[in-house]
Amino acid sequence: MASEDITKLAESLAKTKVGGGQLSFKGQSLKLNTAEDAEEVIKQIEEFDGLEALRLEGNTVGVEAAKVIAKALEKKSELKRCHWSDMFTGRLRSEIPPALISLGDALITAGAQLVELDLSDNAFGPDGVRGFEALLKSPACYTLQELRLNNCGMGIGGGKILATALKECHRKSSAQGKPLALKIFVAGRNRLENDGATALAEAFGIIGTLEEVHMPQNGINHPGITALAQAFAINPLLKVINLNDNTFTEKGAVAMAETLKALRQIEVINFGDCLVRSKGAVAIADAVKEGLHKLKELNLSFCEIKRDAALTVAEAIEDKTELEKLDLNGNCLGEEGCEQLQEILEGFNMAADSTPVPSPPVDVATFLAFPSPEKLLRLGPKCSVLIAQQTDTSDVEKVVTALLRISSVFKDEAPVKTAVHETTDALMRKAFTSATFNSDAFITSLLIHMGLLKSEEKIKAVPSLYGILMTLNHMVQQDYFPKSLAPVLSAFVTKCFELKETCWVSSHCLSEL
């Protein structure tokens, strides 16, 4: 490790937050490859008395570095919380399991009793689950209350391995008189599908102590949803169920509605973008009407619910005094239906700012024809998918037009910025990965529309370059963006003085490529 690298590392570590039993290296972008790289981290760990929480997220830890960090953890018996999300950036998938095995073995050796384990945003796949399988089955996890595995790419195989490990943990801990009492389970964006969800449902039914379950975007259809519903019925303490962006259909929705009737502690139901349809919505409305007096949030957005069913849902919340949010956005209400919905809610004396009422629906064509930040947000969480699906990526001009319209609404405000980035990513990932898409023609057309390249045809340049530059600044950092195009963009942007004056940040970032 070069001396200047060591200096940078020392400076980063000087910013480490220590307090309340927590040692944090969060977000310091430390590149820990070798034992030497990890020396300062190890020193901090060894010198920290009463270490209860270790934050390593936002760094990258290699196999060798993990081994020496693990050695330091072997004496930390008081460790309870491992915040280890996003700590393998840039690593080969084959590096992650041995690193996790080393760290897990250290916790077992130390006799730690974990309360929280967060390994989210580590793309380790099914093999990665093998890396902490032994840890989950060990006494170190008999006390586990929170398990967070969001966006790990576990797949069906990983879901099955995880389910088996949880069942084994419960069996062993029960034999010692203190059964595993898991409260929070998070596993969104893992491609679990029906088989993975069904395996986990079996584990949930055995555990029986869950309070929150977050499993959005997993490609689960009604068989998996039905299995989860049956498991949830055996977890009477459930407060939060988030299954956003899975596919219930009527069958899954009816099964889940039956379970909701048996639950008394539910506060948040997020079935947005789950295709419950009208029949499913009515079944859920019946469950809400019969009980769920602690309900604070009900999300049934983008579920293909028609007007009468949506109004039935609204009527069902009449006596829900704790309700803060009802989301029916993106359904088939029409303007008249929205007005009727408003009247029902006003009849309950519910404040308009505490129970958002959906605006009239906006479609992709309307947004692209007359783009605005509000319209993009009103397309809802599915906006990125909708625009990508409805744009012919075999036509370069249509892709350029869509990109310019999307970027034109860019604002440096979190909701709008996120929506623009996500929509751009979906569109351009689809385009660049298409065998029929001409990347060179795309960049040429884009430069012409930006006014940076002359054309024989009379093409009016966009009135403002701010949005497209900020969007390009994001695009060029994504894995789908062809690196061969970066020099072309850099050449045109860096020699344009006006761009550097009006949008220096973006032009500077592009010129750095």
Side-chain angles (χ1 to χ4, degrees):
M1 195 180 214
S3 59
E4 59 268 24
D5 292 331
I6 295 175
T7 300
K8 289 180 181 179
L9 177 58
E11 291 174 352
S12 293
L13 291 173
K15 300 176 184 177
T16 300
K17 297 179 181 178
V18 179
Q22 174 175 284
L23 176 60
S24 176
F25 301 96
K26 181 180 179 180
Q28 295 185 13
S29 301
L30 303 176
K31 296 180 180 180
L32 308 178
N33 299 316
T34 66
E36 183 184 2
D37 295 341
E39 283 180 357
E40 289 294 331
V41 174
I42 294 167
K43 182 181 177 182
Q44 295 249 8
I45 293 173
E46 290 177 340
E47 293 179 353
F48 197 109
D49 292 329
L51 180 62
E52 294 184 5
L54 178 61
R55 307 195 75 105
L56 291 174
E57 63 264 60
N59 300 289
T60 179
V61 182
V63 176
E64 188 178 340
K67 287 181 180 179
V68 292
I69 292 173
K71 194 68 178 176
L73 291 176
E74 288 181 356
K75 298 178 182 179
K76 300 300 176 180
S77 61
E78 296 178 349
L79 188 61
K80 293 180 174 63
R81 298 183 182 275
C82 297
H83 302 279
W84 294 350
S85 63
D86 188 25
M87 69 173 206
F88 295 112
T89 302
R91 299 291 169 186
L92 296 174
R93 183 171 290 187
S94 60
E95 294 181 83
I96 301 176
L100 288 174
I101 289 171
S102 295
L103 294 168
D105 287 348
L107 299 178
I108 296 171
T109 300
Q113 294 184 316
L114 295 184
V115 172
E116 180 178 1
L117 177 61
D118 186 354
L119 292 171
S120 298
D121 300 316
N122 290 310
F124 46 56
D127 291 340
V129 184
R130 294 284 188 197
F132 60 94
E133 179 185 14
L135 174 63
L136 281 180
K137 294 179 180 179
S138 76
C141 286
Y142 290 177
T143 51
L144 195 64
Q145 295 180 14
E146 301 178 28
L147 180 58
R148 303 176 188 273
L149 299 167
N150 200 57
N151 191 31
C152 290
M154 291 189 291
I156 295 172
K160 289 181 177 181
I161 297 168
L162 176 61
T164 300
L166 288 173
K167 289 187 289 184
E168 183 70 3
C169 181
H170 186 272
R171 184 187 68 78
K172 289 181 176 179
S173 59
S174 297
Q176 292 192 4
K178 294 183 178 179
L180 171 67
L182 191 66
K183 294 181 179 180
I184 298 175
F185 179 83
V186 181
R189 301 184 66 184
N190 271 291
R191 305 193 310 274
L192 295 170
E193 301 182 16
N194 289 330
D195 290 347
T198 300
L200 285 167
E202 184 179 345
F204 296 162
I206 292 172
I207 293 169
T209 56
L210 289 167
E211 295 181 10
E212 295 185 21
V213 176
H214 302 263
M215 295 174 66
Q217 296 184 347
N218 270 298
I220 308 171
N221 299 325
H222 73 83
I225 296 298
T226 299
L228 288 171
Q230 293 169 349
F232 293 164
I234 316 172
N235 285 264
L237 300 178
L238 266 174
K239 296 179 181 178
V240 178
I241 302 177
N242 177 7
L243 295 175
N244 189 285
D245 200 5
N246 289 291
T247 308
F248 283 43
T249 67
E250 294 92 334
K251 291 181 180 179
V254 169
M256 192 62 70
E258 285 301 309
T259 286
L260 291 175
K261 293 178 182 179
L263 300 176
R264 293 290 177 264
Q265 305 301 319
I266 288 291
E267 297 178 2
V268 176
I269 298 172
N270 187 345
F271 297 160
D273 199 17
C274 283
L275 205 66
V276 304
R277 297 198 174 107
S278 294
K279 182 178 178 180
V282 171
I284 292 170
D286 289 343
V288 171
K289 190 170 185 178
E290 288 184 19
L292 305 187
H293 296 292
K294 296 183 179 181
L295 188 64
K296 295 181 179 179
E297 179 178 335
L298 175 60
N299 184 348
L300 293 175
S301 61
F302 294 89
C303 282
E304 293 191 4
I305 303 171
K306 295 183 179 179
R307 182 184 63 183
D308 290 347
L311 297 180
T312 299
V313 172
E315 291 168 350
I317 64 170
E318 179 177 4
D319 62 345
K320 309 308 170 195
T321 57
E322 300 294 319
L323 193 71
E324 298 172 359
K325 180 179 180 181
L326 170 63
D327 192 346
L328 289 169
N329 191 30
N331 288 299
C332 311
L333 277 69
E335 292 187 22
E336 183 180 349
C338 288
E339 292 174 359
Q340 289 177 301
L341 183 60
Q342 179 93 42
E343 291 175 3
I344 291 173
L345 297 178
E346 288 176 350
F348 298 159
N349 294 318
M350 300 183 71
D353 59 351
S354 64
T355 305
V357 178
S359 304
V362 173
D363 58 21
V364 172
T366 301
F367 166 73
L368 291 177
F370 307 99
S372 71
E374 293 74 23
K375 287 177 184 174
L376 182 61
L377 294 178
R378 280 167 57 194
L379 280 172
K382 198 74 172 177
C383 64
S384 60
V385 176
L386 291 172
I387 291 177
Q389 286 178 342
Q390 296 183 38
T391 301
D392 181 6
T393 52
S394 65
D395 188 328
V396 167
E397 288 303 315
K398 289 182 179 178
V399 174
V400 170
T401 299
L403 176 62
L404 290 171
R405 297 290 173 84
I406 295 165
S407 63
S408 70
V409 306
F410 180 92
K411 283 185 178 180
D412 197 20
E413 298 173 2
V416 177
K417 183 177 180 180
T418 299
V420 169
H421 286 173
E422 290 180 351
T423 305
T424 299
D425 288 343
L427 173 65
M428 298 314 303
R429 187 181 299 278
K430 177 185 175 185
F432 284 127
T433 55
S434 171
T436 60
F437 187 69
N438 189 326
S439 298
D440 293 334
F442 163 78
I443 204 69
T444 299
S445 177
L446 180 62
L447 290 170
I448 290 172
H449 282 83
M450 290 174 67
L452 302 181
L453 191 63
K454 291 183 178 179
S455 171
E456 294 180 359
E457 300 177 15
K458 292 184 179 181
I459 296 178
K460 187 176 180 181
V462 293
S464 171
L465 290 169
Y466 173 75
I468 185 59
L469 279 175
M470 296 303 291
T471 303
L472 284 171
N473 185 27
H474 169 78
M475 276 175 55
V476 297
Q477 301 176 60
Q478 307 310 308
D479 58 2
Y480 61 75
F481 189 84
K483 298 306 178 187
S484 61
L485 298 182
V488 180
L489 276 177
S490 177
F492 280 89
V493 173
T494 52
K495 69 180 181 182
C496 183
F497 176 79
E498 181 182 354
L499 293 187
K500 284 186 175 289
E501 290 295 310
T502 60
C503 195
W504 183 87
V505 174
S506 289
S507 60
H508 176 72
C509 291
L510 287 169
S511 64
E512 287 293 307
L513 291 172

